[in-house]
Amino acid sequence: MKAKQEFKVIPRFPEKLEPLRRMAYNVLFSWQSGIRDIFQRIDPKLWEESGHNPVAFMGQVSQDRLECLVGDLGFMSQMEEEAHKFDKYMNVPTIGDENTCVAYFSAEFGLTTCVPIYSGGLGMLAGDHLKSASDLRIPLVGMGLLYQEGYFAQYLNSDGWQMERYPANDFDNMPITRVTDSSGQQIKVFVKFKERDVAVAVWRVQVGRVPLYLLDTDLDENPQEVRGTTAQLYGGDKETRIRQEIVLGIGGVRALKAIGLTPTVIHMNEGHSAFSALERINLMRKDFGLSFDAAREVVQASTIFTTHTPVPAGNDTFDPELARAYFEEYSKELGINWRVLLGYGRINPRDEGEAFGVTPLSLRLSSHANGVSRLHGRVSRHMWQNIWPKNPVEDTPIDYVTNGVHVSSWASREIARLYDRYLGADWNEDTDTTHIWKQVKQIPLSELWRAHENCRARLVAFTRRALVKQLKEQGADTDTLRRAMEVLSPDTLTIGFARRFATYKRATLLFRDPDRLEKILNNPARPVQIIIAGKAHPQDNEGKAFIKQIIHMAREPRFQNRVVFLENYNMRVASLLVSGCDVWLNNPRRPLEACGTSGMKALANGVLNLSVLDGWWDEGYKPEYGWAIGQGEEDENHELQDETESAALYNLLEKQVAPLYYQRTGDNIPQVWCEMMRGSIRDLVPRFSSHRMVLEYYDRFYKQSSARFVSLTQDNFKPATEQAAWRQKLMTSWNDMSILEITSNGDKRVGDAMEFTAKVQMGSLSPEDVTVEAYYGHLDHMGEFIDRSTLALKPAEDLGGNVWLYKNSLTCRDTGKFGYTVRVTPSQARLANPFVLGLISWA
């Protein structure tokens, strides 16, 4: 029976302890250890039992203890000091133009263990993005979904098979607050599911200086069959997924409006929020009377899209009939035909049999699109080149911004103290990352090694406790539990492998030859141990079979003391692993790892990487920083590739990694190893931090896109209307334009000037409408471009009949066989991305 009325009982906080409440409702505690120390000091055991959740924790502290704290002068002094730092941090204004407001949309956010609305790397990246935006004072807000049951909690049955449970989140005991209006009522917006109104409540998590708004459909006023839309992250069927993405995209834009925010930029982190672009168009039509075309100009110019998925199957698509059921009426609000809307979501808009995809929709409605590493940018251009069929694949308008991690969230307490001591107390808020991290060379190797040894000891102790706990739940006998308390050694070379158990990540590669692995792990002079963690998607039986295979192997007597699988991988387990391991192993099937940020988290702690040259490691690897498995090969024969790369992995462990680790000086420090640790921190952390990443987005995309938004919306959107008319002119007149003739002035010597000329029949267009470029570079023996550069040609003469002569020249710097052609694109001065229109003409 349900209660008729609800009420809450909360602690009666003494007035002097009010700063604790402010700090409890801001996840700044997840990366400011001083705040965590305050809560831990109140009751260490209770703090641990609460899962480091300050809101739940403070709700369980006795009233007597709270009153006692007021009289504890040492505690009050420490609390007041942290409260002063907290207020100082929070009261610093944002940087840049006061008009700029970036809204960052993502289906998941990994912020801290006690806010379980994440599943893996995408969420970790999104959480780190918000934290760096906070530290760097970027004017940004987040938008996501508030899942009642989150992803899932993993446990293993006695046979080692992954099972799932979905514990319900208690929002009232989490650092989450309701967003209310002026009358104190929680703000709600409405979206439609097949013409049925669905209420969506708005909540907020404060991430340092950045608010993250979260949307929730589990409301009494909603029908039971739609209340569960936001129940589970990546749960349910295709219809659940399209509903979630409607709530996130359409509901998210409506929520921002209800809160009173007008974003000048929307950054879509993966295609789950693609419908936000449609809803921005919809609102501009309703609020300002714009045509679809004019509103689209504003939205496209101010939208950024980041794709994370390197395989087509990982990009959401919907059957046309399912999409029609949810969007046919909505297309009328947009002012376009339903089939036109479908075309925006198809690679080939005219293919009636093609599904409706959120990635093509996102790409077509964004001015900037990017992959998350250099290699992933290349993979993405190949994947989506057919959206722009007239472009060479290398000119597909998908760039890259390599991911990074929020160092102060992932650096262990011991390592962070070294950074405080040698980099300065404000290292985590400094925008000059390269200069800051050069100071790492001042850290003595002995101090770095001792800090790391403490991390490894803590990891081993945690692993033993966790293993005993999971074995108890499986009904293990006393002898098994006793042995579990003795697994691993705090002095042994420790390899960490933890990630989503998708098959392409090849979690079992290390176990391909058990006999050889046994010799490596049980080498009496140079022993090695392995800690593994990770979840398979509930519907991925192949991934679950990988887990089972590892569990069964770990139970063999020869591996019992050397291999441990930790169940229920989460942010807390991750933080212990990436700081306590000596080597971080990553062996995906290249090029399917978009980035692989777990290796960057290990890097932030000085842990050395051993990885396939995929994702970020393809950019970061040098022999002085770690080890590479293979040389970047890509092989369609997967069996042969696995055989070759597993052998390479064993060779590295046996002949390089273990010998170097156990090569000690008189004070038992692995000198060369520690130099690699310090060098990798100094040189790679600034390159692969989320501070660098967020600043790159800000400098390359956010500022430019925000300025275009402001420009197009001036004078009652007159520039947007003119831009739409110009686009229509291009679309209808483009085929009348042609390149009549191109010439160059023959072979040259180094230092000579090469002049390019082209005659262009403009048709009904003018030189102001287009950009004419020479497209040139080295050629291979087949006459294909090996590389290419462009040089804008300038209109030199009107030859009559609207035929224009274009010219420009460059100095020849290199020798070899070169070639060139000429292309015409829409004016690059008028478009942030001249390729988004799909218009291009070649000589």
Side-chain angles (χ1 to χ4, degrees):
M1 182 176 70
K2 294 188 70 172
K4 200 71 175 175
Q5 296 288 333
E6 295 182 4
F7 62 94
K8 289 177 63 178
V9 178
I10 59 176
R12 186 186 300 278
F13 264 67
E15 186 176 346
K16 290 184 177 180
L17 296 183
E18 266 307 308
L20 289 177
R21 190 193 305 277
R22 291 204 313 277
M23 292 188 285
Y25 279 94
N26 190 319
V27 297
L28 187 63
F29 68 81
S30 69
W31 75 93
Q32 296 281 9
S33 60
I35 300 174
R36 293 197 301 275
D37 290 344
I38 287 289
F39 292 115
Q40 186 175 30
R41 179 170 176 172
I42 294 172
D43 188 331
K45 185 172 182 292
L46 186 59
W47 175 245
E48 198 66 28
E49 290 173 353
S50 74
H52 298 184
N53 177 347
V55 174
F57 169 76
M58 293 306 299
Q60 296 171 50
V61 176
S62 69
Q63 200 67 45
D64 287 346
R65 179 58 177 152
L66 291 176
E67 299 294 343
C68 181
L69 290 172
V70 176
D72 185 335
L73 297 181
F75 174 84
M76 292 302 294
S77 174
Q78 184 182 0
M79 184 200 71
E80 288 165 5
E81 181 182 355
E82 289 303 324
H84 174 73
K85 291 179 184 176
F86 176 85
D87 292 336
K88 181 181 177 182
Y89 178 94
M90 292 298 295
N91 291 325
V92 178
T94 58
I95 64 171
D97 191 300
E98 62 180 9
N99 293 315
T100 301
C101 175
V102 180
Y104 183 88
F105 279 62
S106 183
E108 53 173 305
F109 288 89
L111 301 168
T112 182
T113 308
C114 66
V115 185
I117 55 171
Y118 61 89
S119 72
L122 180 72
M124 298 299 105
L125 181 279
D128 284 2
H129 195 108
L130 298 196
K131 291 175 181 180
S132 278
S134 172
D135 286 343
L136 298 170
R137 299 179 289 123
I138 306 292
L140 182 143
V141 301
M143 181 62 68
L145 299 178
L146 184 58
Y147 301 100
Q148 184 68 64
E149 298 174 358
Y151 192 40
F152 67 88
Q154 176 199 53
Y155 67 99
L156 304 172
N157 68 16
S158 58
D159 193 36
W161 190 257
Q162 173 184 293
M163 308 294 285
E164 299 88 28
R165 62 168 67 98
Y166 292 87
N169 288 320
D170 180 3
F171 301 151
D172 290 323
N173 279 308
M174 294 165 65
I176 300 173
T177 57
R178 289 174 168 83
V179 180
T180 57
D181 59 21
S182 57
S183 64
Q185 296 297 307
Q186 185 168 15
I187 289 177
K188 297 175 186 175
V189 295
F190 291 86
V191 297
K192 285 188 182 294
F193 292 170
K194 297 179 180 177
E195 301 315 299
R196 169 189 282 168
D197 283 330
V198 175
V200 180
V202 186
W203 301 72
R204 184 178 71 192
V205 177
Q206 194 65 35
V207 186
R209 301 172 177 122
V210 170
L212 166 61
Y213 299 102
L214 299 170
L215 307 176
D216 167 30
T217 60
D218 187 23
L219 306 176
D220 289 339
E221 62 218 77
N222 286 332
Q224 191 63 41
E225 63 268 27
V226 302
R227 287 184 61 169
T229 297
T230 56
Q232 295 177 5
L233 173 59
Y234 305 140
D237 56 13
K238 283 282 190 179
E239 187 155 13
T240 301
R241 181 63 64 88
I242 200 171
R243 287 177 171 180
Q244 288 185 340
E245 294 181 4
I246 287 170
V247 172
L248 176 60
I250 296 175
V253 171
R254 292 177 181 177
L256 290 172
K257 181 182 179 184
I259 293 164
L261 292 172
T262 302
T264 56
V265 179
I266 290 232
H267 185 170
M268 302 187 296
N269 188 43
E270 196 51 277
H272 308 116
S273 52
F275 302 143
S276 63
L278 297 178
E279 181 56 19
R280 290 178 79 203
I281 292 171
N282 189 27
L283 285 185
M284 287 180 191
R285 282 176 47 75
K286 289 179 178 178
D287 294 348
F288 304 104
L290 298 184
S291 67
F292 174 88
D293 290 345
R296 181 197 56 211
E297 293 300 323
V298 180
V299 169
Q300 189 177 63
S302 58
T303 301
I304 292 133
F305 170 56
T306 298
T307 177
H308 291 257
T309 312
V311 290
N315 294 267
D316 284 346
T317 60
F318 301 106
D319 180 84
E321 287 306 310
L322 177 62
R324 182 172 189 160
Y326 282 87
F327 282 96
E328 186 171 24
E329 287 302 311
Y330 185 77
S331 67
K332 295 175 183 176
E333 295 184 43
L334 294 172
I336 58 174
N337 183 276
W338 156 243
R339 294 185 182 277
V340 173
L341 179 56
L342 262 187
Y344 272 92
R346 286 171 165 159
I347 294 173
N348 180 358
R350 296 174 180 81
D351 182 356
E352 293 292 331
E354 186 181 335
F356 179 71
V358 293
T359 302
L361 177 65
S362 302
L363 288 168
R364 284 200 171 93
L365 292 177
S366 303
S367 59
H368 299 290
N370 67 278
V372 291
S373 69
R374 182 177 59 199
L375 180 57
H376 180 237
R378 190 199 79 187
V379 171
S380 298
R381 286 190 289 276
H382 280 271
M383 280 178 63
W384 304 109
Q385 62 178 305
N386 288 333
I387 293 179
W388 299 275
K390 294 182 179 180
N391 283 19
V393 64
E394 59 270 18
D395 289 338
T396 300
I398 301 176
D399 206 335
Y400 77 92
V401 176
T402 302
N403 282 343
V405 298
H406 188 248
V407 177
S408 48
S409 287
W410 294 104
S412 69
R413 181 186 297 269
E414 291 84 354
I415 296 296
R417 282 175 180 160
L418 290 180
Y419 295 161
D420 289 343
R421 191 177 308 147
Y422 292 100
L423 275 61
D426 296 326
W427 62 268
N428 60 327
E429 293 182 60
D430 199 309
T431 58
D432 188 357
T433 55
T434 302
H435 169 72
I436 282 290
W437 290 97
K438 282 182 179 177
Q439 298 175 83
V440 166
K441 63 185 177 184
Q442 300 176 29
I443 300 176
L445 296 180
S446 58
E447 289 190 39
L448 180 61
W449 183 244
R450 299 306 174 210
H452 179 65
E453 285 191 310
N454 288 337
C455 295
R456 191 189 322 105
R458 182 167 57 245
L459 171 62
V460 169
F462 170 83
T463 301
R464 289 171 173 173
R465 293 194 304 271
L467 183 59
V468 168
K469 180 175 180 292
Q470 64 192 56
L471 288 172
K472 275 184 179 179
E473 292 174 353
Q474 293 169 13
D477 58 40
T478 304
D479 284 345
T480 302
L481 296 178
R482 179 182 52 77
R483 286 195 301 271
M485 279 303 298
E486 299 171 355
V487 300
L488 309 181
S489 164
D491 301 316
T492 294
L493 169 58
T494 305
I495 296 173
F497 181 96
R499 54 195 28 86
R500 188 164 51 90
F501 264 67
T503 51
Y504 76 85
K505 293 178 183 282
R506 300 191 297 178
T508 56
L509 190 72
L510 184 59
F511 299 90
R512 189 175 176 89
D513 185 344
D515 294 336
R516 184 154 186 205
L517 179 63
E518 178 194 1
K519 291 176 183 176
I520 294 170
L521 299 189
N522 293 315
N523 184 309
R526 298 192 295 267
V528 179
Q529 58 195 16
I530 307 165
I531 304 175
I532 303 165
K535 298 176 177 179
H537 188 278
Q539 297 170 9
D540 183 4
N541 286 330
E542 286 186 90
K544 291 182 179 182
F546 276 15
I547 293 174
K548 179 180 176 180
Q549 180 182 340
I550 292 170
I551 294 292
H552 279 245
M553 197 167 291
R555 290 174 180 172
E556 293 181 23
R558 57 180 173 168
F559 294 125
Q560 271 185 351
N561 198 45
R562 294 283 184 246
V563 181
V564 175
F565 185 96
L566 290 175
E567 67 181 16
N568 202 31
Y569 185 46
N570 58 26
M571 287 186 73
R572 187 174 178 219
V573 175
S575 66
L576 289 164
L577 278 166
V578 298
S579 61
C581 291
D582 299 295
V583 173
W584 195 255
L585 175 63
N586 189 25
N587 44 235
R589 194 180 305 286
R590 177 184 161 115
L592 301 182
E593 183 78 280
C595 188
T597 53
S598 64
M600 300 177 187
K601 300 176 181 94
L603 167 69
N605 290 280
V607 174
L608 301 182
N609 277 269
L610 167 59
S611 176
V612 168
L613 291 173
D614 200 4
W616 80 281
W617 195 234
D618 186 58
E619 298 171 49
Y621 167 71
K622 284 185 179 179
E624 55 264 42
Y625 304 142
W627 298 271
I629 303 168
Q631 297 178 330
E633 300 89 348
E634 297 174 20
D635 196 333
E636 293 185 6
N637 185 335
H638 292 172
E639 181 68 21
L640 178 61
Q641 184 181 21
D642 291 353
E643 183 68 31
T644 303
E645 292 184 352
S646 64
L649 174 55
Y650 294 137
N651 285 334
L652 285 168
L653 291 174
E654 203 167 38
K655 298 175 182 179
Q656 295 187 38
V657 179
L660 188 67
Y661 180 84
Y662 288 104
Q663 180 183 311
R664 303 297 173 100
T665 57
D667 52 1
N668 199 33
I669 292 177
Q671 187 85 15
V672 178
W673 187 283
C674 289
E675 287 172 353
M676 290 176 68
M677 290 175 66
R678 187 169 64 180
S680 65
I681 294 172
R682 180 193 64 229
D683 297 340
L684 296 186
V685 166
R687 287 177 57 193
F688 298 105
S689 78
S690 54
H691 278 26
R692 186 276 311 155
M693 175 190 72
V694 170
L695 284 172
E696 191 172 343
Y697 277 115
Y698 182 73
D699 290 333
R700 289 178 57 194
F701 300 153
Y702 293 170
K703 287 194 291 188
Q704 179 189 137
S705 296
S706 182
R708 284 187 174 272
F709 177 90
V710 172
S711 173
L712 289 169
T713 57
Q714 288 177 344
D715 196 14
N716 198 28
F717 292 87
K718 182 180 177 182
T721 303
E722 292 173 346
Q723 184 86 342
W726 176 71
R727 179 197 287 236
Q728 187 62 29
K729 171 187 171 183
L730 290 178
M731 299 298 287
T732 56
S733 304
W734 192 261
N735 289 336
D736 298 336
M737 181 268 299
S738 62
I739 302 169
L740 301 178
E741 179 184 326
I742 67 171
T743 59
S744 63
N745 51 350
D747 292 343
K748 297 294 176 185
R749 296 179 184 274
V750 171
D752 288 347
M754 170 65 76
E755 184 175 72
F756 303 103
T757 63
K759 293 180 182 178
V760 182
Q761 167 57 255
M762 289 293 183
S764 56
L765 301 178
S766 68
E768 291 75 26
D769 295 325
V770 300
T771 296
V772 180
E773 294 172 303
Y775 186 99
Y776 66 95
H778 287 89
L779 302 180
D780 64 17
H781 68 286
M782 299 290 290
E784 298 284 343
F785 285 108
I786 299 171
D787 52 45
R788 89 279 187 266
S789 299
T790 58
L791 175 71
L793 304 186
K794 301 171 183 177
E797 184 180 353
D798 183 351
L799 301 177
N802 209 19
V803 174
W804 281 81
L805 180 67
Y806 281 79
K807 288 184 177 183
N808 207 344
S809 62
L810 57 81
T811 302
C812 297
R813 301 293 185 190
D814 301 314
T815 60
K817 182 181 179 183
F818 288 82
Y820 89 102
T821 185
V822 170
R823 72 178 181 190
V824 184
T825 61
S827 170
Q828 295 180 18
R830 298 196 62 166
L831 290 168
N833 184 338
F835 301 106
V836 293
L837 302 188
L839 300 176
I840 188 167
S841 291
W842 295 89

